[in-house]
Amino acid sequence: MDYILSIVTLACINMIAVLGLSIFTGFTGLFSFGHAAFVGVGAYTSAVLTYYYPVPFPLALAAGAAAAGAVSLVIGVPTLRAKLRSDYFAIAILGFGEALRVILENLGITNGARGLPGIDDHTTLPVVLLCLAGGVVVARNFLRSRWGVACVAVREDPVAAELSGVRIFRTRLLSLVVSAVFCGLSGGLLAHFLSFIQPVMFTLTQSTQLLAAVIAGGMGSITGPLIASFVFIALPEALRVAQMWRLVAYGLLLVLIMVYRPQGLMGYRELSSLWGKRAGPSAGRRP
Amino acid sequence: MFLQTVITGLSIGGIYALMAVGYSLVFSVLNFSNFAHGAVIMLGAYVGLALATKLNLGFGLVLAGSVAGAGIIAVLNEKLAYSSLRGRKAPSLYLMISAMGCAVFLENLVYATIGSRFYAFPEFFGRQVVTLWGSSVSLLDGGAFLFALLAIFGLHLFIRRTRTGIAIRAGVCDMTMCSLMGVDLNRLIAVVFLLAGGFAGVAGVFLGVKYLVYPTMGWVTNKAYIAAVIGGLGSLPGALAGGLILGMVETFVSTYVSSVLRDVFSFTLLIAFLVWRPNGLMGIDSEDKV
Amino acid sequence: MNSPAAPLFSVRGLTKHFDGIKAVDSLSFDVAEGSITGIIGPNGAGKTTVFNIVTGLYRPTAGSVLFRGESITGLRPDRVVRRGIARTFQNIRLFNRRSCLDNVMTPLFQRERCSFLGSLLGTPSTRRMERELRERAVGLLQVLGLERFASTQADNLPYGFQRKLEIARALATEPSLLLLDEPAAGMNPEETRSLADLIAEVRERFQVTILLIEHHMDLVMNICSPIVVMNFGALLARGTPDEVRADPAVVAAYLGKGRGRR
Ligand SMILES: Nc1ncnc2c1ncn2[C@@H]1O[C@H](COP(=O)(O)OP(=O)(O)OP(=O)(O)O)[C@@H](O)[C@H]1O
Ligand SMILES: [Mg+2]
């Protein structure tokens, strides 16, 4: 029972990060190979606060999320302002994530590559579920708001968006910061769930996993990536598949999706649109 | 001290250049960053390792076998993971994601099947050291550097002089045009991947001999990718120059500043180039029209 | 309608080179407030390029763009929109995977002041504003005869309606100058005639000045005055439809180079 609870908790923590990346990738149309770094920033910031200082857990979580958002500005401002080619942007953020990891490996306060053991385990399933539910509501509201609408417009056609009065740079930057905040929150929860964090937990491989969940779940969908992320974490965990075979599967999945179904499982749809309205707005798409 | 740093920098740079060539070749024709290249290098090293330890072949045959093996792997990789994307003219980003998937897949497949053990090549060159103007150079480093220069020069000649090479250059200019003129695109791209894979094989063996063979050894290719960006993605002379520059800069940073900051510095360099000089030092303009 | 007042909009000596090609060549003309001004010219004359410069997508090589007497040369596109210039695109650019309603809501939203926190929390006041905007969007769709497509995904719309949706979206930015790039392209003669009525209606109802590029001569001759004729990036003629039709240079340009599309 405990085992199942911990699997569900872990999966839900991951879902929060995927939710964030989904806003950035699925709804704003920018790809990132570096979002695990924001999870790492959130994890380390909150862990350091509760570990060395008597900071209450909720405050530490908030600080972790805020720190991730702030750090995302460092890479977001120069790269998004320069309007890089989309693949160059994904690579630039990859480089940023790797650089951040190297820094984490060499700081004293993070205890270097050996990792930080003995973090208080404040994270419980109810806390995680609360954060996840809150996150989904906030994400949905964001996507309906002026800014979320702008994000989707930028994804669909940057030129037309700009001529609808959307400020492209600001919109993309905001989307990045919002997604990083979600990742930071997820990191804070993760650190206080595992009680142990290490820089290698926040590398390119983890970024690729997050991206695989978003892409497999479906671009422009909230429910799709959430389902995918849950399955990605819970299924192999429940089947006790070794970590490397999971990664073999993620890698293969990424290739297969790109080759056969780049819009993903639930591309541009939500779970709610699958039942009920048959001839819904997105039915019968032309080639 | 200074001269020693230069020599160490150059020898690392030579290997970076050897790996960067593979990125540049693919980028010049297909316009995407083939992150599976690192995994192909790693597989090339394992092929070489198998030939050297299981069959006790000499260095020359190991190198040849690894070149052939990695070349075939690269061609298969293209056929399975990229060609259909290419066929429907998918954005280069999709190709890149597919490549990233391949890298994760191959790396962990090796990890899961062969294991995470570190393997060493037999000592082909011993630890011989040549003394050059008072600085010592290991024979391996010197040889690797010269070989890298020769191989890249050979590739350069191939692309300038042979029919296939000229077809590749035409493909760089305009793929659709090329297919209209009756060049077999699939064959052309297979040749490009064969070449890139061949270079991956060479790089894999040199890396393996110099360091060790293990599943994540392809990670160094991130550096080679940075070298390719510095030189200008898609440019062969750029790959060479970028490799040498990065090798030197890194060695100087780690000697005179701090070895910790070395990697941070390299990644910062990558971002800076992507933002301010995406075409690198020698790259061709690849901006899309509005 | 010869108003003595300063023109709403003008370009002065506008020039744009694309390595070697002079796409626009020291072009100057005025657009009077309330007019429907037409731009015609053979394919490749530089008409779309003028729109691209005006809306800030391209930086001109030389020359300036004046709007309400102020220079807007080189302003960023979203700033140009805020000044009151909106446009449609020759090669349709809709937010394809969004509904028609969302397409029109996008620019409406950008004009509103919203509280970020309020939006994230979904406060009643932001919900109310959202409802109001939706009603306004539906209103705009109605004017263009698109209300029954409100929830249709934009790329599922028939071609002619996509052009109309572009006009609706442009109007949602509340422009005082509307630039239409070949609004009738791909329409049959009947659709073109009803589009002419629609454009006239839009001008009345929204009090916009219209600058319109078109290859359908009947449409231009019917509703535009004055007409600006471009050739090889430069101004060839300017005048009423009758004057333009009678201009020997215009006739020569059109006969000499074919008549463009249709
Ligand atoms: N981004 C660009 N880069 C290079 N050349 C361009 C670019 N945009 C336009 N041109 C060139 O400028 C010239 C004018 O193009 P433009 O699209 O403005 O013509 P047009 O009058 O709108 O033609 P049409 O009636 O076919 O729409 C053409 O020769 C075109 O090839
Ligand atoms: Mg045009």
Side-chain angles (χ1 to χ4, degrees):
Chain A
M1 192 58 206
D2 267 3
Y3 181 60
I4 294 178
L5 274 188
S6 80
I7 292 175
V8 172
T9 312
L10 204 60
C12 289
I13 292 174
N14 194 58
M15 281 159 89
I16 295 174
V18 168
L19 187 61
L21 185 60
S22 174
I23 290 176
F24 187 64
T25 296
F27 287 91
T28 317
L30 290 167
F31 288 76
S32 157
F33 282 116
H35 264 59
F38 302 131
V39 181
V41 170
Y44 270 99
T45 306
S46 63
V48 162
L49 286 179
T50 57
Y51 188 80
Y52 295 101
Y53 311 95
V55 177
F57 177 53
L59 205 62
L61 273 187
V71 167
S72 74
L73 286 173
V74 176
I75 182 67
V77 169
T79 50
L80 293 174
R81 172 162 290 155
K83 292 196 180 165
L84 291 189
R85 264 175 60 152
S86 54
D87 50 341
Y88 287 6
F89 174 80
I91 297 163
I93 202 162
L94 182 164
F96 182 72
E98 292 298 292
L100 221 54
R101 199 208 64 219
V102 177
I103 292 174
L104 283 181
E105 278 176 356
N106 290 288
L107 284 182
I109 199 163
T110 60
N111 200 24
R114 273 156 299 152
L116 204 59
I119 306 162
D120 296 338
D121 50 350
H122 291 297
T123 304
T124 57
L125 185 57
V127 169
V128 173
L129 287 179
L130 194 72
C131 288
L132 180 61
V136 170
V137 170
V138 166
R140 232 182 46 122
N141 285 341
F142 173 75
L143 291 170
R144 283 169 62 158
S145 77
R146 176 193 157 157
W147 295 277
V149 165
C151 286
V152 178
V154 169
R155 176 194 76 196
E156 289 293 303
D157 191 323
V159 172
E162 211 169 5
L163 281 158
S164 299
V166 173
R167 296 172 205 185
I168 301 212
F169 167 63
R170 281 202 201 184
T171 302
R172 286 182 168 154
L173 191 64
L174 180 69
S175 169
L176 177 65
V177 172
V178 169
S179 71
V181 166
F182 274 89
C183 287
L185 176 65
S186 159
L189 291 168
L190 185 72
H192 293 87
F193 175 65
L194 299 177
S195 309
F196 171 66
I197 48 173
Q198 215 182 353
V200 287
M201 294 158 81
F202 311 107
T203 61
L204 175 57
T205 308
Q206 279 72 25
S207 295
T208 311
Q209 267 185 55
L210 292 178
L211 191 62
V214 172
I215 293 174
M219 300 281 291
S221 163
I222 292 183
T223 37
L226 287 184
I227 296 169
S229 131
F230 189 85
V231 172
F232 277 17
I233 298 293
L235 196 65
E237 198 70 61
L239 299 176
R240 299 179 186 251
V241 179
Q243 172 69 9
M244 52 223 174
W245 283 109
R246 287 177 208 182
L247 290 172
V248 170
Y250 292 149
L252 193 61
L253 193 69
L254 218 44
V255 177
L256 290 178
I257 292 169
M258 282 298 124
V259 171
Y260 293 108
R261 200 180 159 83
Q263 76 274 31
L265 178 72
M266 306 265 300
Y268 309 103
R269 282 180 302 180
E270 296 300 343
L271 199 56
S272 54
S273 73
L274 286 187
W275 45 75
K277 286 182 287 180
R278 274 263 156 135
S282 54
R285 168 181 312 176
R286 289 189 310 183
Chain B
M1 178 69 168
F2 180 82
L3 194 63
Q4 181 71 57
T5 315
V6 171
I7 287 174
T8 314
L10 283 180
S11 78
I12 294 174
I15 293 192
Y16 283 168
L18 212 48
M19 299 192 285
V21 165
Y23 284 111
S24 273
L25 263 176
V26 172
F27 192 94
S28 68
V29 178
L30 290 182
N31 200 19
F32 83 102
S33 305
N34 178 22
F35 282 119
H37 190 60
V40 176
I41 290 177
M42 179 265 299
L43 290 174
Y46 274 94
V47 171
L49 184 76
L51 295 176
T53 54
K54 296 271 179 334
L55 300 179
N56 289 318
L57 295 185
F59 184 72
L61 286 176
V62 165
L63 201 60
S66 160
V67 164
I72 292 168
I73 292 168
V75 172
L76 283 179
N77 176 12
E78 195 279 328
K79 289 271 176 274
L80 296 176
Y82 310 146
S83 66
S84 73
L85 283 166
R86 185 159 60 70
R88 65 175 140 85
K89 299 206 186 321
S92 57
L93 191 84
Y94 284 16
L95 284 155
M96 193 175 102
I97 292 172
S98 186
M100 193 62 97
C102 288
V104 173
F105 171 72
L106 292 173
E107 209 172 280
N108 288 286
L109 193 65
V110 170
Y111 191 33
T113 52
I114 302 177
S116 58
R117 240 191 83 190
F118 287 56
Y119 293 92
F121 268 93
E123 296 249 333
F124 285 119
F125 302 98
R127 292 284 153 200
Q128 285 147 288
V129 168
V130 186
T131 310
L132 210 67
W133 302 296
S135 316
S136 61
V137 191
S138 86
L139 199 60
L140 173 65
D141 284 354
F145 180 70
L146 288 181
F147 191 87
L149 286 192
L150 276 179
I152 293 171
F153 185 65
L155 181 65
H156 187 70
L157 284 186
F158 174 78
I159 285 187
R160 296 270 147 180
R161 295 288 155 78
T162 63
R163 270 181 63 97
T164 317
I166 289 165
I168 291 175
R169 279 208 300 162
V172 171
C173 291
D174 193 339
M175 293 264 277
T176 4
M177 199 59 197
C178 214
S179 65
L180 285 179
M181 306 213 338
V183 178
D184 182 353
L185 262 186
N186 285 320
R187 200 186 71 95
L188 186 75
I189 287 168
V191 171
V192 168
F193 274 85
L194 194 67
L195 284 172
F199 271 82
V202 176
V205 170
F206 277 120
L207 271 180
V209 172
K210 192 168 158 67
Y211 307 105
L212 290 165
V213 181
Y214 52 98
T216 49
M217 66 184 281
W219 197 84
V220 231
T221 47
N222 282 354
K223 295 299 185 56
Y225 181 78
I226 299 175
V229 169
I230 292 175
L233 277 166
S235 149
L236 286 187
L240 180 59
L244 296 183
I245 291 172
L246 186 69
M248 296 277 269
V249 167
E250 282 201 334
T251 317
F252 270 92
V253 170
S254 59
T255 312
Y256 293 103
V257 188
S258 115
S259 59
V260 168
L261 281 183
R262 188 194 66 193
D263 286 358
V264 177
F265 186 83
S266 304
F267 284 117
T268 312
L269 212 57
L270 169 72
I271 298 168
F273 264 89
L274 286 175
V275 171
W276 286 291
R277 219 184 146 85
N279 299 317
L281 298 174
M282 311 174 128
I284 9 139
D285 192 4
S286 59
E287 214 58 51
D288 342 71
K289 264 211 257 181
V290 178
Chain C
M1 242 184 46
N2 250 345
S3 64
L8 175 71
F9 169 86
S10 46
V11 297
R12 290 275 164 269
L14 204 63
T15 303
K16 177 72 190 176
H17 295 183
F18 290 111
D19 33 47
I21 312 168
K22 281 187 179 176
V24 179
D25 190 7
S26 27
L27 181 74
S28 304
F29 66 85
D30 296 335
V31 173
E33 182 143 22
S35 71
I36 301 184
T37 303
I39 301 184
I40 61 171
N43 289 132
K47 308 178 291 294
T48 300
T49 307
V50 172
F51 276 17
N52 286 344
I53 297 171
V54 171
T55 50
L57 296 179
Y58 293 160
R59 209 163 252 290
T61 311
S64 56
V65 182
L66 303 174
F67 185 61
R68 298 190 185 286
E70 285 173 47
S71 169
I72 56 162
T73 324
L75 230 52
R76 241 177 30 209
D78 61 88
R79 298 243 165 88
V80 174
V81 173
R82 268 167 238 279
R83 295 283 180 106
I85 300 182
R87 75 174 282 186
T88 64
F89 296 89
Q90 180 176 353
N91 47 340
I92 301 173
R93 282 174 172 271
L94 287 167
F95 305 131
N96 277 329
R97 283 170 295 216
R98 304 226 83 189
S99 69
C100 293
L101 193 69
D102 287 334
N103 267 272
V104 180
M105 292 271 285
T106 302
L108 285 178
F109 252 130
Q110 304 312 312
R111 298 184 55 81
E112 295 300 319
R113 297 199 157 276
C114 319
S115 127
F116 185 61
L117 219 60
S119 301
L120 289 191
L121 297 176
T123 53
S125 71
T126 57
R127 290 270 180 274
R128 197 171 333 114
M129 189 189 74
E130 205 182 299
R131 252 195 322 277
E132 277 168 25
L133 291 187
R134 177 160 300 131
E135 275 157 24
R136 273 166 62 194
V138 170
L140 276 168
L141 289 178
Q142 260 160 6
V143 173
L144 286 132
L146 292 167
E147 66 275 19
R148 70 199 147 108
F149 296 119
S151 61
T152 307
Q153 194 170 299
D155 61 354
N156 288 338
L157 274 186
Y159 192 70
F161 288 105
Q162 292 194 358
R163 294 214 172 270
K164 288 186 180 167
L165 181 57
E166 276 221 329
I167 297 177
R169 187 181 61 187
L171 286 171
T173 66
E174 295 176 18
S176 40
L177 175 66
L178 180 60
L179 311 177
L180 301 176
D181 197 343
E182 305 200 14
M187 289 186 181
N188 62 34
E190 195 192 324
E191 286 171 325
T192 307
R193 262 192 303 281
S194 78
L195 182 73
D197 297 340
L198 189 64
I199 291 173
E201 191 197 331
V202 161
R203 174 180 63 159
E204 289 307 315
R205 194 190 270 252
F206 296 93
Q207 294 292 307
V208 283
T209 306
I210 291 174
L211 180 60
L212 168 148
I213 296 175
E214 197 37 81
H215 282 289
H216 283 73
M217 280 308 149
D218 338 345
L219 178 77
V220 180
M221 294 297 170
N222 273 335
I223 65 170
C224 299
S225 185
I227 293 171
V228 172
V229 189
M230 287 180 69
N231 197 19
F232 296 116
L235 185 75
L236 188 66
R238 183 182 189 280
T240 63
D242 288 334
E243 287 165 0
V244 165
R245 234 191 308 246
D247 193 314
V250 176
V251 175
Y254 269 81
L255 292 181
K257 267 201 71 186
R259 299 202 44 171
R261 267 165 290 152
R262 300 238 199 149

